[in-house]
Amino acid sequence: MGGGGFRIDKEELRIIAEKRLHEKTENIEKIPEDVESLIHELQVHQIELEMQNEELRHSRMEIEKLHQKYYDLYNFAPVGYFTISLTTKITEVNSTGANLLGFPKEDLTEKYFRWYVANESQKSFQSCFKKAFREMEKQVFEIGLIRKDGIIFYAHIEMLPHFIHKSPDDREVSLKMAVIDITEQKKLEKELKRSNKELQQFAYVASHDLQEPLRTIASFTQLLAHRYEGKLDADADEFIGFIVEASVRMKQQIEDLLEFSRVMTRGSGFQKIKVSEILKGVISGLKKLIDENNAEITYDSLPKVYADPKQIERLFQNLISNAIKFRKPDEPPKIHISSKEENNEYIFSVSDNGIGIEPQYKDRIFTIFQRLHTRDKYEGTGIGLAVSKKIVERHGGQIWVESEYGKGSTFYFTLPIGRERESELFSIRTE
C-alpha cells in the first residue's frame, strides 16, 4: 500500500488466512454431531407426520362412510323428516317427506309447510305449531295434508323445537317434524268402528229379536207338555221334551254369545283395583257353590292392578267355577290363587286338584262353545274360558293352562304393571 498507510505483505496475509481457516475448520468439526441429531429428529418428525396424515386420511374416509350411511338412513327412512322455520318455511326435507307430498326435494325447499296443510286442519296445525314454540315442548297431533295431485292424506306428526347455536349469544330456533302417513290406519279404524257397530246391532238382535221367538217356542212347547202329557204316545212326550230342552239350551247359548261379544264392546273404563278385594267379592258370590262342594279356596297377598273391575271379577268367577265343576268325584276341591311380578307384568295363577286336562286339549278349551265332556256329565255351554281369554286379551295379557291329567290344573294369566290410562290400548271401546 502507498501513501504511508498500513501495509501487509503477501506472506503475512497468507499466515492470517491460514489461521482463520484453521479456526473455521475447528468450528466445522464441532458441528456434525449436532447436525446429525437434528437431522434424525427431523426425519422422525417427518415419519410421525406421515403416519398422522395416514391416520387422518383413514379417519376422514370412515367419517365420510358414516356420513353417507346416516345420510341414507335419514334420507330413506320410512318416516318423512322436515325442518321448518318460525314462518313454517321448509329448510330441510328427506326423500320420504318429499315423496309423501309428491314433490322432488328441491321443489319443497324454501316453500312454506302450511301451504300443504288441508283447510280443515289449518287451525289444529297452527295451534300446535305456536304451542311448540311457546312452550318449547314436543307436540303430537294428526292432520290432513295435501299432495301435489290434490289428494288429501292423513298424517301423524311429532313436532319438536330445535336450537341452532350460531354463536354464544346468538341462537336460532327451528322445528323438527316427523311425518307418518296414517291414511290406511284411519281406514282400518273406520272399518273397525263399522264392524263394532254391526256387532252391537247383532248383540241387540241376539238379545231381543232371536230370544223372543225362542221364548214363544219354549212356552208353547211346555204348555203342550203340561196339557197333553200322557194323552199322546210315549214318543210324542219324548219329542216334546227334546224341543223344550233344545230351546232352553239355545236360549242359554245366545245369552252366552251376547256376553262374549260384549267383552270388547261394552267393557268399563280401567281403574286402580285391589285384586284381593275383587277376589273376596267373588268368593262371597260363589258361597253356595263352594259350600255345596265343600271346596277350599286360599290365596296369597295379591297386587293392585289397573283394570276393568267387573271383567276381572268375571275372570275369577269363571276360573274358580271351572275348578269346582271339574273336581275329582271323591276329593273336595282345593283351589289356590297367587301372583308374582316378572318382566313388567303380574303373572296370576289359579291352581286346583281337579281331574286335569289332557295335553291335546290345552288350546281347544279356550275356543268358544268347545266342550271336552258330554252335557249329561258336565253342564254348561263351553263359553266360560273363551270369555276369560277375551277379558285377558282386552287387558293386554295372555292366558294359558298347565295340567297333568288326573292331578289337577293351573291356569295362568298376565296383566301389565303400571298401565294407568283412561282408555284401553288393546281395544276400541264403543261408548
Side-chain angles (χ1 to χ4, degrees):
M1 293 185 180
F6 180 72
R7 184 172 181 272
I8 301 176
D9 61 21
K10 288 183 177 180
E11 188 175 338
E12 188 178 359
L13 182 63
R14 175 76 180 182
I15 293 170
I16 293 171
E18 289 285 350
K19 184 179 180 181
R20 289 185 179 180
L21 179 60
H22 181 70
E23 291 174 353
K24 287 183 178 181
T25 303
E26 286 181 347
N27 290 335
I28 289 173
E29 289 175 353
K30 295 176 182 177
I31 289 174
E33 287 188 11
D34 296 336
V35 171
E36 185 178 354
S37 176
L38 181 60
I39 291 172
H40 177 75
E41 287 298 319
L42 287 173
Q43 289 175 334
V44 170
H45 283 303
Q46 183 181 2
I47 294 171
E48 287 178 346
L49 286 171
E50 289 174 354
M51 292 174 66
Q52 288 176 348
N53 285 336
E54 183 67 16
E55 188 177 347
L56 286 171
R57 189 176 69 84
H58 282 296
S59 297
R60 183 177 178 181
M61 289 175 63
E62 288 298 320
I63 289 171
E64 288 176 354
K65 287 180 182 177
L66 287 172
H67 178 269
Q68 186 62 44
K69 177 182 177 181
Y70 287 112
Y71 176 78
D72 290 343
L73 286 173
Y74 163 80
N75 210 32
F76 301 106
V79 177
Y81 290 115
F82 292 80
T83 302
I84 63 175
S85 68
L86 285 165
T87 59
T88 79
K89 183 182 287 186
I90 300 170
T91 58
E92 188 178 1
V93 59
N94 70 345
S95 294
T96 306
N99 290 336
L100 284 174
L101 295 177
F103 291 91
K105 286 172 61 176
E106 56 272 17
D107 288 358
L108 287 173
T109 306
E110 301 302 312
K111 300 296 192 301
Y112 293 93
F113 188 82
R114 64 176 181 271
W115 292 352
Y116 308 101
V117 178
N119 288 335
E120 60 269 24
S121 298
Q122 283 287 347
K123 186 176 180 181
S124 175
F125 172 75
Q126 291 294 340
S127 174
C128 293
F129 178 78
K130 292 174 182 177
K131 190 175 180 181
F133 276 117
R134 184 175 65 251
E135 300 181 3
M136 287 293 144
E137 291 181 352
K138 179 180 177 181
Q139 302 296 315
V140 180
F141 54 97
E142 294 176 1
I143 58 173
L145 295 177
I146 308 171
R147 287 195 178 95
K148 183 180 180 180
D149 57 11
I151 294 176
I152 294 176
F153 69 97
Y154 290 99
H156 172 89
I157 294 182
E158 296 189 12
M159 181 184 285
L160 187 67
H162 176 70
F163 294 102
I164 302 173
H165 294 273
K166 294 184 174 181
S167 69
D169 300 322
D170 182 19
R171 68 178 185 175
E172 183 179 297
V173 184
S174 62
L175 282 177
K176 298 284 187 181
M177 294 196 309
V179 181
I180 303 174
D181 185 348
I182 57 169
T183 306
E184 288 302 316
Q185 180 182 327
K186 285 291 184 182
K187 288 179 180 178
L188 291 173
E189 287 179 2
K190 186 177 180 180
E191 180 63 23
L192 186 57
K193 287 179 181 178
R194 185 192 64 78
S195 297
N196 280 341
K197 187 175 181 180
E198 289 181 354
L199 186 59
Q200 281 187 311
Q201 183 63 29
F202 165 76
Y204 174 79
V205 170
S207 63
H208 185 270
D209 294 2
L210 289 179
Q211 291 197 53
E212 184 58 35
L214 271 176
R215 280 193 291 267
T216 302
I217 292 171
S219 296
F220 279 96
T221 306
Q222 287 171 346
L223 184 63
L224 278 172
H226 178 71
R227 180 172 297 180
Y228 296 102
E229 184 178 7
K231 296 181 180 179
L232 303 174
D233 59 25
D235 287 343
D237 291 342
E238 186 180 13
F239 296 158
I240 291 172
F242 288 156
I243 296 172
V244 172
E245 182 184 347
S247 60
V248 170
R249 189 167 65 249
M250 189 172 182
K251 180 176 180 295
Q252 184 60 52
Q253 286 180 327
I254 290 174
E255 289 176 353
D256 289 343
L257 188 60
L258 177 61
E259 180 189 7
F260 182 79
S261 68
R262 282 178 170 172
V263 170
M264 299 301 260
T265 61
R266 295 292 180 91
S268 301
F270 285 23
Q271 57 183 275
K272 201 76 169 180
I273 59 172
K274 294 180 180 179
V275 177
S276 57
E277 293 300 316
I278 296 290
L279 189 56
K280 287 178 183 177
V282 170
I283 294 171
S284 176
L286 295 175
K287 188 176 186 304
K288 183 180 179 182
L289 180 65
I290 293 169
D291 291 344
E292 286 175 350
N293 291 275
N294 198 26
E296 178 185 324
I297 300 178
T298 57
Y299 55 91
D300 297 334
S301 176
L302 300 173
K304 295 179 181 178
V305 297
Y306 207 72
D308 179 338
K310 290 293 184 184
Q311 289 192 343
I312 296 301
E313 179 182 357
R314 180 62 171 160
L315 175 61
F316 278 111
Q317 280 179 350
N318 288 350
L319 294 177
I320 293 173
S321 298
N322 204 64
I324 294 175
K325 179 193 292 187
F326 297 102
R327 67 191 182 279
K328 292 176 183 175
D330 56 347
E331 190 175 340
K334 290 186 178 180
I335 303 162
H336 183 71
I337 298 99
S338 63
S339 70
K340 64 178 180 179
E341 184 177 333
E342 188 175 295
N343 297 329
N344 203 35
E345 62 184 6
Y346 291 117
I347 302 177
F348 292 86
S349 63
V350 180
S351 302
D352 64 57
N353 62 339
I355 61 174
I357 303 166
E358 294 182 74
Q360 64 267 33
Y361 300 128
K362 285 183 179 180
D363 293 328
R364 180 180 167 187
I365 59 173
F366 294 106
T367 304
I368 188 170
F369 296 140
Q370 288 293 313
R371 300 176 54 88
L372 303 185
H373 307 276
T374 58
R375 289 188 182 87
D376 56 345
K377 191 170 185 180
Y378 294 103
E379 60 181 19
T381 58
I383 193 77
L385 290 178
V387 170
S388 298
K389 185 172 185 285
K390 275 289 182 185
I391 290 172
V392 173
E393 287 175 347
R394 182 186 175 226
H395 286 74
Q398 295 179 306
I399 186 170
W400 68 97
V401 64
E402 293 180 5
S403 179
E404 186 174 351
Y405 188 65
K407 294 187 177 181
S409 305
T410 300
F411 284 84
Y412 296 93
F413 65 90
T414 62
L415 294 177
I417 296 173
R419 182 160 287 138
E420 297 189 2
R421 49 188 171 51
E422 291 300 323
S423 61
E424 300 81 349
L425 297 176
F426 300 93
S427 65
I428 295 177
R429 284 182 58 213
T430 305
E431 299 295 343

